[in-house]
């Protein structure tokens, strides 16, 4: 764990920077490292008839090699942890049941799942995960600390692989000035990253376990999605490398088209363009939507979600696995003994680590726990009361997190006390718990200071030099829950680096705050 990172980025003349920008932008457009352009709120969503380069960095960003490898090595233990959480109905009921009283979205998801879980015909679950980390800087070293664990719609696997390939290309073609820093001349500093291939292979493994070579993968997408090329990259890889066809539909479209055969429980979707052809049987439902309340504009979308859940198709994720990714679960796992029970408990099911839990040790548990920063509930327990005291007296040390995915939902530092006061002032029904119980308090991670890079906002073609913070995501694939050993998969599946200006607490590639980057490994 190095105590310092190299001075960054290398100096460029204006002519060198213009050449580097030209090469990066051309490479991005030529290789599908792209997004749809922003569309006006009043206009229709753009069709994929033209594109802009995705937000990118002109240089890869230095990252400690030891911490990069440590993050990757932990992924199978994290996969096992969240697979076992998803299989533990009693734990989910206890943890989410408390949140459900004050969080209507989590409450609806949990209630709907409880209503159908006894009759679900498909025991196999597929997880495409991403564990996100920031580097935490202490006086003498850097170490990874986990931000969150994503169990639904873990995006940018395709674009992440392309970002690393772009930086390798730039090093090869602009070497006269791109090699101005010795770190850039080290071929081993550019890690192999096959996230596109690995994630597509995970979907193909789910399709294979389903067992019908004529079935297809369903990608559930949001209306007006700009990140279509990342999604379609996986679809193209599925077809070209695995011979697996896929279809794309929104919730609204599925509400009109999706059918479940009452006897076989097959999920069937007719193609409205070929009404006389047999409907497609779905092997895997892959959600790139359904993680935010805005995806459920009415009860119809919830009914559609339940319809898909009750089918024989393998879900990625199931409603249970989506619930397992809640921030409240992250906080509960940090309590003494809970992590140990999930990873070392003798009664826990095999999820790809050998017979039972025999291949995990206390050393593995300690390694996972070492990636966590302070986590507290916001209830009336002893820990919760301490959290409230800390949030009021030292808010600059913390972030307040709701049970949401997708970014843009957290409350930071000195905004926390007035926000808690606002929650307390909101009307509630007699007997309801305080609304703060829908949140957790997390100790802030302090990234290294003084790292800069040239960031290019998508479509602008104008780099800006920023003091940056980089977040490393490690993908994982987990197939579990079946009785057949062939239906068990647990592996790491590549990485993602997102880099943003330090001035922004929140991320977001599509909205232009973060750039898709790649790590330059330094010793």
């Amino acid at each position: 764990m190095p105590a310092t990172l190299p001075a960054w980025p290398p100096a460029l003349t204006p002519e060198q920077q213009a050449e580097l920008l030209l090469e990066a932008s051309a490479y991005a457009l030529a290789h599908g490292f792209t997004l749809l352009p922003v569309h006006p709120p009043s206009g229709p969503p753009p069709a994929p008839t033209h594109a802009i380069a995705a937000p990118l960095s002109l240089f890869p960003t230095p990252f400690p090699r030891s911490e990069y490898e440590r993050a990757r090595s932990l992924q199978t233990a994290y996969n096992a942890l969240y697979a076992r959480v998803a299989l533990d109905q009693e734990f989910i009921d206890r943890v989410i049941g408390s949140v459900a009283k004050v969080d209507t979205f989590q409450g609806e998801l949990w209630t709907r799942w409880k209503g159908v879980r006894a009759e679900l015909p498909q025991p196999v679950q597929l997880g495409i995960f991403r564990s996100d980390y920031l580097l935490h800087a202490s006086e003498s070293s850097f170490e990874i600390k986990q931000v969150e664990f994503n169990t639904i719609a873990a995006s940018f696997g395709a674009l992440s692989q392309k970002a690393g390939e772009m930086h390798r290309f730039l090093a090869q073609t602009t070497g006269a000035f791109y090699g101005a820093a010795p770190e850039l001349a080290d071929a081993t500093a550019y890690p192999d990253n096959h996230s596109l291939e690995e994630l597509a292979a995970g979907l193909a493994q789910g399709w294979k376990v389903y067992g019908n070579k004529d079935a297809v993968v369903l990608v559930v997408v949001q209306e007006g999605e700009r990140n279509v090329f990342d999604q379609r990259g996986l679809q193209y890889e599925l077809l070209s490398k695995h011979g697996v066809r896929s279809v794309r539909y929104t919730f609204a479209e599925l509400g009109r088209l999706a059918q479940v055969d009452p006897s076989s429980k097959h999920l069937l979707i007719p193609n409205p363009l070929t009404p006389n052809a047999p409907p497609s049987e779905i092997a895997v439902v892959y959600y790139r939507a359904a993680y935010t309340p805005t995806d459920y504009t009415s009860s119809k979308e919830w009914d559609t979600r339940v319809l898909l859940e009750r089918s024989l198709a393998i879900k990625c994720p199931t409603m249970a696995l989506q619930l397992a990714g809640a921030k409240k679960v992250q906080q509960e796992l940090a309590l003494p003994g809970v992590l140990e029970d999930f990873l070392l408990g003798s009664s826990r099911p095999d999820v790809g680590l050998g017979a039972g839990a025999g291949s995990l040790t206390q050393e593995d548990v300690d390694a996972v726990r070492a990636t966590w920063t302070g986590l507290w509930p916001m209830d009336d327990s002893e820990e919760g009361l301490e959290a409230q005291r800390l949030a009021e007296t030292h808010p600059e040390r913390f972030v307040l997190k709701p049970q949401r995915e997708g970014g843009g939902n957290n409350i930071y530092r000195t905004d926390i006390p007035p926000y808690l006061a606002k929650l307390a002032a909101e009307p509630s029904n007699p007997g309801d718990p305080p609304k703060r119980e829908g949140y957790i308090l997390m100790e802030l991670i302090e990234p290294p200071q003084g790292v800069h890079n040239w960031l290019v906002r998508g479509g602008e073609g104008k780099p800006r030099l920023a003091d940056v913070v980089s977040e490393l995501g490690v993908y994982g694939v987990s197939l579990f829950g079946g009785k057949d050993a062939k239906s068990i998969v647990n592996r790491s599946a590549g990485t993602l680096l997102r880099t943003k200006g330090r001035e922004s607490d929140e991320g977001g590639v599509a909205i232009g705050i973060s750039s898709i980057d790649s790590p330059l490994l330094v010793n």
Side-chain angles (χ1 to χ4, degrees), residues 241-263:
K241 294 292 180 64
H242 305 280
V244 178
R245 294 184 301 116
S246 59
V247 294
R248 299 167 57 86
Y249 290 105
T250 64
F251 260 159
E253 292 168 329
L254 290 171
R256 299 191 301 268
L257 298 172
Q259 309 162 7
V260 174
D261 184 273
S263 56

Side-chain angles (χ1 to χ4, degrees), residues 66-268:
S66 61
E67 293 306 284
Y68 178 84
E69 295 299 339
R70 185 158 77 99
R72 290 187 60 200
S73 70
L74 290 170
Q75 190 60 36
T76 53
Y78 266 116
N79 291 348
L81 173 60
Y82 279 86
R84 287 172 177 163
V85 169
L87 293 170
D88 191 331
Q89 291 186 4
E90 183 178 348
F91 178 80
I92 294 177
D93 284 348
R94 178 177 64 80
V95 175
I96 303 300
S98 64
V99 171
K101 298 174 183 177
V102 290
D103 188 312
T104 55
F105 177 69
Q106 291 290 331
E108 189 73 19
L109 183 63
W110 176 61
T111 301
R112 296 270 186 161
W113 171 63
K114 283 200 307 174
V116 299
R117 66 190 184 191
E119 58 183 275
L120 299 180
Q122 179 56 264
V124 178
Q125 303 186 46
L126 175 60
I128 289 182
F129 301 142
R130 197 184 67 230
S131 184
D132 291 335
Y133 305 91
L134 287 172
L135 276 180
H136 179 71
S138 65
E139 292 183 0
S140 59
S141 66
F142 303 132
E143 58 182 347
I144 54 168
K145 293 292 182 182
Q146 189 184 61
V147 177
E148 62 183 359
F149 192 89
N150 302 277
T151 63
I152 183 170
S155 58
F156 297 119
L159 298 193
S160 175
Q161 179 171 324
K162 294 177 187 296
E165 292 166 350
M166 179 194 72
H167 285 135
R168 283 178 180 268
F169 166 80
L170 293 175
Q172 294 166 352
T173 59
T174 62
F177 54 88
Y178 203 73
E183 294 84 3
L184 287 165
D186 180 4
T188 70
Y190 301 82
D192 286 332
N193 179 32
H194 301 284
S195 48
L196 163 61
E197 295 150 28
E198 294 280 0
L199 297 183
L203 291 168
Q205 286 171 303
W207 172 86
K208 185 176 181 180
V209 165
Y210 182 81
N212 179 358
K213 64 181 179 61
D214 295 320
V216 304
V217 170
L218 166 64
V219 185
V220 184
V221 299
Q222 293 176 323
E223 186 72 34
E225 173 66 71
R226 293 183 60 217
N227 192 25
V228 295
F229 303 109
D230 179 59
Q231 298 169 358
R232 287 184 178 272
L234 289 173
Q235 293 181 258
Y236 302 151
E237 182 78 8
L238 263 177
L239 184 61
S240 63
K241 294 292 180 64
H242 305 280
V244 178
R245 294 184 301 116
S246 59
V247 294
R248 299 167 57 86
Y249 290 105
T250 64
F251 260 159
E253 292 168 329
L254 290 171
R256 299 191 301 268
L257 298 172
Q259 309 162 7
V260 174
D261 184 273
S263 56
S264 68
K265 302 301 180 183
H266 292 154
L267 176 59
L268 305 172

